[in-house]
Amino acid sequence: MVTPAVIRALELLRALNASGSYPNLAEVDRFARADPPRERYLGLSRLAVYALGRGFAEGEIGRYLVDAGLARRHGSTDGVEISAIGLGVLAAEDAGDHDTAGRFDASAPVEVVGRLTDAVVYAKLLIEINKLNEALLVDPYLLPSDLLQIVRLGNVKKVLTTDQSAGGISRAKRKGQLAIALGAAAESAELRFSATDKTELHDRVVLPISGQGIMIGTSLGGTQVTVITHLSEDNTVLLRKHYLAIFQAGENLDPVVRAPLAELDDGATILAK
């Protein structure tokens, strides 16, 4: 749930990051739980109308921001910066896209907050991905089991990830299993490993050839609380252009597919019968 205290924390990060300042999580947490004054505070007049964050235990708001992908560490420092997902949450808040029950409208940027280990949340994500046209999936730590689900959808045509260990699977084993999963669909997607530094591949996004893309706070195999949000069409175009360039320069992974019987030797054909 994106509470008023979390919104206050995101407002602070957006304002300070814009001026080149990166507070640490303890500072963000302390600000979000404080009683806002009645006048303008740090130039953010909206803060005065937000509910207090005192219902949170000390440190809880800061941890939630990072766990949900709303904020991330700024380089190697203790400072944090608001993420694209955090900006999306604030964009929805700024636009006032709520229905009378206080929930986000179906057209608002934020759709789901939860864990992808929850079958319902995972299913909702796959449904949203399945609506996209000729999509590019970007996930630096994509697991073979998740790729298997994605290629079965049929509409994700390009996959960009990194060639490294993930989810407790070694680099070599993950690469082999990704190739097997890639070959599972009748019309397989094309998967490439990024040739750039892995820090350049930090987003988890699904970007269609047209329309609104999807940003996910964690990798598809992640266990943390995450936010699934739709991007604006303009941001989708910019991100697709950026990641498509990385994809085109990447290392292609050949799928593992079963050869037709005609291509097998005589002994293998007999066994197959």
Side-chain angles (χ1 to χ4, degrees), residues 94-160:
D94 291 339
D97 291 327
H98 295 79
D99 62 21
T100 55
R103 297 172 302 214
F104 284 108
D105 184 81
S107 62
V110 177
E111 284 79 23
V112 179
V113 178
R115 299 179 190 273
L116 292 178
T117 49
D118 183 321
V120 174
V121 174
Y122 192 79
K124 286 181 178 179
L125 173 60
L126 292 183
I127 289 171
E128 291 303 311
I129 292 175
N130 197 34
K131 295 176 182 178
L132 306 182
N133 182 32
E134 294 187 33
L136 163 65
L137 167 67
V138 180
D139 187 339
Y141 305 107
L142 182 65
L143 297 180
S145 56
D146 293 303
L147 177 61
L148 184 60
Q149 302 302 320
I150 290 298
V151 296
R152 285 175 172 172
L153 296 179
N155 62 308
V156 176
K157 300 302 183 182
K158 295 179 174 61
V159 179
L160 178 63

Side-chain angles (χ1 to χ4, degrees), residues 27 32 43 58 94 107 126 152 173 192 204 218 220 236 252:
E27 292 169 334
E58 185 174 351
D94 291 339
S107 62
L126 292 183
R152 285 175 172 172
K173 186 170 291 187
R192 295 192 182 185
R204 283 85 164 175
T218 66
L220 272 68
T236 298
N252 186 64

Side-chain angles (χ1 to χ4, degrees), residues 162-214:
T162 56
D163 186 7
Q164 59 184 324
S165 60
I169 305 174
S170 70
R171 174 177 174 271
K173 186 170 291 187
R174 174 174 174 262
K175 189 172 186 177
Q177 292 179 3
L178 286 173
I180 294 171
L182 194 62
E187 296 183 7
S188 184
E190 184 180 1
L191 185 148
R192 295 192 182 185
F193 295 115
S194 170
T196 64
D197 187 289
K198 64 182 181 181
T199 59
E200 286 294 312
L201 207 68
H202 51 75
D203 291 324
R204 283 85 164 175
V205 289
V206 193
L207 307 167
I209 198 168
S210 62
Q212 291 181 290
I214 298 171

